[in-house]
Amino acid sequence: MTTTTVTNFRKNVYSMVENTIRFNEPVHITTKEGNVVMISEEDYLGLLETLHLTSVPGMKEKLVDGLNTSLSDTISEEEVLW
């Protein structure tokens, strides 16, 4: 994560926004009044989806089970139709 002051951010706003979008690199912007983190819309929507999925009862456990299951235990190669 890149950290910058709000003054430096104002000077380089276009390139920082483009880098955040292109490389999904968050920017931590510091000010005297507090700080802010800028993330891409793609990352923001991903965070919202993750929050939604983990709020569904039992979904978190299903996701963890899926991560711990090897692909060979889920479907055979003969069943895959390309």
Side-chain angles (χ1 to χ4, degrees), residues 30-49:
T30 61
T31 73
K32 294 177 184 176
E33 298 298 320
N35 303 322
V36 66
V37 175
M38 178 180 66
I39 61 173
S40 68
E41 180 182 33
E42 179 182 0
D43 285 347
Y44 174 73
L45 294 174
L47 284 171
L48 289 179
E49 182 68 15

Side-chain angles (χ1 to χ4, degrees), residues 27-80:
V27 178
H28 179 242
I29 306 164
T30 61
T31 73
K32 294 177 184 176
E33 298 298 320
N35 303 322
V36 66
V37 175
M38 178 180 66
I39 61 173
S40 68
E41 180 182 33
E42 179 182 0
D43 285 347
Y44 174 73
L45 294 174
L47 284 171
L48 289 179
E49 182 68 15
T50 300
L51 288 172
H52 170 71
L53 289 174
T54 57
S55 71
V56 175
M59 183 62 74
K60 183 177 177 182
E61 292 76 14
K62 288 180 183 180
L63 291 171
V64 171
D65 287 345
L67 288 172
N68 293 328
T69 302
S70 70
L71 185 57
S72 62
D73 290 341
T74 60
I75 190 168
S76 68
E77 290 183 32
E78 293 81 32
E79 294 176 276
V80 177

Side-chain angles (χ1 to χ4, degrees), residues 4 7-17:
T4 188
T7 301
N8 190 48
F9 178 75
R10 277 194 302 262
K11 291 177 187 175
N12 300 295
V13 66
Y14 182 79
S15 65
M16 289 187 167
V17 168

